[in-house]
Amino acid sequence: MGLYSLITGRRGPSGFGSATSAEEVTQRIDATHLTAIITGGAGGIGMETARVMAKRGVHAVIGARNIGAAENAKAEILRQNTNARVTLLHLDLSSVKSIRAFVRDFHALHLPLNLLINNAGVMFCPYQLSEDEIELQFATNHIGHFLLTNLLLDTMKTTAKTSGVEGRILNLSSIAHIYTYKEGIKFDSINDICCYSDKRAYGQSKLANILHANELSRQLQEEGVNITVNSVHPGLILTNLFQHTALLMRFLKFFSFYLWKNIPQGAATTCYVALHPTLKGVTGKYFADCNEVTPSKLARDETLARKLWDFSVKLINSVSKKNYLGFEDTI
């Protein structure tokens, strides 16, 4: 799936392409037996993902930092579909404390969990540290979803075993994963302000999304667990993610309009990988325009993926002072 396919919307081997919408890729799919968590579902492609999944019968649990925006999103989803099942929970992925609280709140609902859509993110932020003193893009885009996924993994394993239905985990990455620091991940200077680049820091976090998905996929395959893990590039969509470079992005879009997608198209790859029956058993892959593609060499580095996993565990433990799979909150 190259530039020609992106511009023309030519469909790939899956039968879908860059011009396909989320509703189109999920046509005739009955997902009434599924429960999904969608992070960042209060707006943009996250909201569209939640809307389309709810339309197909999924019980959509939206994790959002801005509950007011999430309530507006829920109201719009229900306006279009009065039978939609939508639950809202507060979630700030830059905060270990908030992530643990979200997981406790979710467990209190006593729901199964079939799908985990790690969609939320921040982009091109000026240098700043999270409340846990981790560079904000790495904290939100990678560490937050890494911790969230691991805290929910036992629930997903139980659901997959008792229901017999394959669980699916998706990390929203980006083609920007190719534009990272030279070493890929700056393990020794993750918080270094001296050589901080908002673009490369974003690319680093998106590379981490793919590496995380690949390593988790490998581990689950070794365990024989009925859960797949994949990563996706949604495409270029002008949403609030570009809030720090909105004027620049609008200028660039004017001259490259043929490369950009609308929101329904931007949510298509996520919904395809999450729900389409042809992807049963497909794991450890990277998708763009609803087709499997090959990510960068760094993204395919198994040694780097294992190193990132270990680094992430140690980083979270240094924050929480507890084993990262525990629910105790000491901060």
Side-chain angles (χ1 to χ4, degrees), residues 202-217:
Y202 179 72
Q204 172 182 247
S205 71
K206 295 291 99 180
L207 171 62
N209 290 151
I210 301 176
L211 293 171
H212 169 219
N214 291 350
E215 175 59 15
L216 180 56
S217 172

Side-chain angles (χ1 to χ4, degrees), residues 1 8 17 24 28 47 61 80 93 103 122 145 170 179 182 207 210 214 218 243-244 246 273 295 310 313 316:
M1 300 300 291
T8 63
E24 184 179 351
R28 295 181 293 278
M47 176 182 168
V61 179
Q80 296 183 35
L93 283 157
V103 172
V122 294
H145 282 126
L170 274 71
Y179 187 73
K182 182 179 179 181
L207 171 62
I210 301 176
N214 291 350
R218 184 192 67 79
Q243 61 181 299
H244 295 289
V273 178
D310 294 339
V313 171
I316 292 169

Side-chain angles (χ1 to χ4, degrees), residues 102-141:
F102 171 88
V103 172
R104 285 196 295 269
D105 291 343
F106 176 75
H107 285 156
L109 298 174
H110 302 291
L111 292 172
L113 182 58
N114 307 94
L115 308 172
L116 175 57
I117 314 298
N118 290 323
N119 166 83
V122 294
M123 185 179 191
F124 301 163
C125 304
Y127 179 85
Q128 64 184 107
L129 299 180
S130 70
E131 68 176 47
D132 301 315
E133 299 187 347
I134 304 169
E135 187 276 310
L136 188 62
Q137 294 191 85
F138 193 74
T140 304
N141 298 349

Side-chain angles (χ1 to χ4, degrees), residues 12-13 68 81-82 94 104 117 122 124 134 139-140 189 192 229 245:
N81 175 15
T82 56
S94 70
R104 285 196 295 269
I117 314 298
V122 294
F124 301 163
I134 304 169
T140 304
S189 54
D192 192 350
V229 193
T245 54

Side-chain angles (χ1 to χ4, degrees), residues 44-115:
I45 60 175
M47 176 182 168
E48 178 68 1
T49 298
R51 184 190 71 81
V52 171
M53 286 192 171
K55 184 172 184 176
R56 303 307 178 213
V58 175
H59 183 170
V61 179
I62 294 176
R65 184 176 56 182
N66 185 336
I67 288 296
E71 288 173 344
N72 291 338
K74 179 179 178 178
E76 177 60 22
I77 293 170
L78 290 173
R79 186 188 68 79
Q80 296 183 35
N81 175 15
T82 56
N83 295 319
R85 295 178 294 160
V86 181
T87 299
L88 307 180
L89 295 175
H90 179 262
L91 173 62
D92 180 353
L93 283 157
S94 70
S95 164
V96 167
K97 183 177 181 179
S98 176
I99 295 164
R100 294 187 185 280
F102 171 88
V103 172
R104 285 196 295 269
D105 291 343
F106 176 75
H107 285 156
L109 298 174
H110 302 291
L111 292 172
L113 182 58
N114 307 94
L115 308 172

Side-chain angles (χ1 to χ4, degrees), residues 274-296:
L275 293 179
H276 209 277
T278 60
L279 292 183
K280 181 176 174 59
V282 176
T283 188
K285 305 299 182 181
Y286 173 67
F287 292 83
D289 298 334
C290 301
N291 285 271
E292 183 184 334
V293 295
T294 302
S296 70

Side-chain angles (χ1 to χ4, degrees), residues 1-12 14-25 27 48 233-237 257-269 288-291:
M1 300 300 291
L3 183 61
Y4 176 78
S5 298
L6 176 62
I7 295 172
T8 63
R10 183 175 64 87
R11 295 171 183 251
S14 70
F16 305 115
S18 62
T20 308
S21 71
E23 287 201 19
E24 184 179 351
V25 300
Q27 280 182 353
E48 178 68 1
H233 165 52
L236 289 172
I237 309 104
F257 63 91
Y258 48 83
L259 298 177
W260 294 72
K261 296 182 179 183
N262 58 39
I263 288 175
Q265 292 168 343
T269 304
D289 298 334
C290 301
N291 285 271

